[in-house]
Amino acid sequence: MSQNRKYITHNETMVRSGLAYRLNVKSSGVYSAIVHTSIDQLDVCVDKWKRVLVYRFDFHQSFYTGSNKLISRFMKNLKKHLQRSYQMHEIGYIWVREKERAKHQHYHGALYLDGNKIRHPAKLGRTMVMLWKNLRESNHMPTIKNPFYFVDSEQEQIEAIYRISYLCLLYTSPS
C-alpha cells in the first residue's frame, strides 16, 4: 500500500542488517522508509560508539504552525548543549510531526547518543524540557514511561527499534 509516495507495511517483522526487528504496526501499518532510516542510523551509531543511549521523547505545542521551524530550532539548541556539556559533536535522531486528531501538531522523536558520555538521561530529560519551553512558554514535553534504552547488544537494538517503530505509524503522519 502506498500513500504520499511512501510504502506502508503491515508486517510485524522487518529484516534489516541481518536482524529480524519486531514492529509496532498496530492496525494502521508503518512507513517502511522511516523504519529503514531509523535502523540504519542506529546501526551507524552502534558501530561508532558501541553503546548507544536511545532516548524517546514527545513534544506538544498549544498552537498550529505550517512549518517545523520550532523543532528545528530546538534540535540546533540541543546539539549546542550536548557539545558544551558532553563534548558530543555527533548525534543521531529521528522525529515525526503528528496532527492526526490533535488540534495542534505535536512531535514524536528519539535521540541516538553516545552511551559512554551520558550514563543516565535524567539530566538530559530536564534539559530537553527547559529547551523546549524556552522556545515558547506554552510548549509541553509529556513524561514518557521508560523513555530510554542503552543499546550495546542485538537484543537491546531490536527492543529499541520496536519502541521507535511507533513513530513510523501511518496515523503518526510525517511532515
Side-chain angles (χ1 to χ4, degrees), residues 50-162:
K50 307 303 179 224
R51 184 172 194 248
V52 178
L53 168 63
V54 177
Y55 190 87
R56 195 35 203 95
F57 64 87
D58 290 341
F59 289 142
H60 293 238
Q61 294 177 196
S62 63
F63 57 95
Y64 174 79
T65 62
S67 73
N68 297 312
K69 288 180 182 176
L70 208 59
I71 193 154
S72 295
R73 195 164 5 137
F74 167 83
M75 291 305 298
K76 182 179 177 183
N77 293 345
L78 179 62
K79 287 177 194 177
K80 285 179 186 177
H81 170 78
L82 292 169
Q83 283 178 335
R84 281 191 314 268
S85 300
Y86 299 98
Q87 291 69 52
M88 279 190 204
H89 301 289
E90 296 178 298
I91 69 169
Y93 62 91
I94 175 176
W95 60 264
V96 295
R97 174 177 164 165
E98 181 179 349
K99 188 184 178 296
E100 180 67 20
R101 294 180 200 97
K103 207 174 191 182
H104 310 290
Q105 78 243 22
H106 58 279
Y107 298 92
H108 302 286
L111 297 172
Y112 302 145
L113 305 171
D114 184 341
N116 293 309
K117 292 189 176 183
I118 298 181
R119 306 300 263 173
H120 193 279
K123 184 177 175 184
L124 172 67
R126 289 189 301 270
T127 298
M128 290 174 67
V129 168
M130 180 201 64
L131 291 173
W132 184 239
K133 285 193 78 65
N134 282 350
L135 294 173
R136 189 157 193 151
E137 185 60 33
S138 60
N139 284 349
H140 174 65
M141 182 179 164
T143 301
I144 294 178
K145 189 175 182 177
N146 304 316
F148 67 93
Y149 293 84
F150 280 103
V151 174
D152 58 8
S153 72
E154 288 180 350
Q155 185 57 41
E156 289 162 344
Q157 189 165 345
I158 289 167
E159 290 174 21
I161 291 297
Y162 177 79

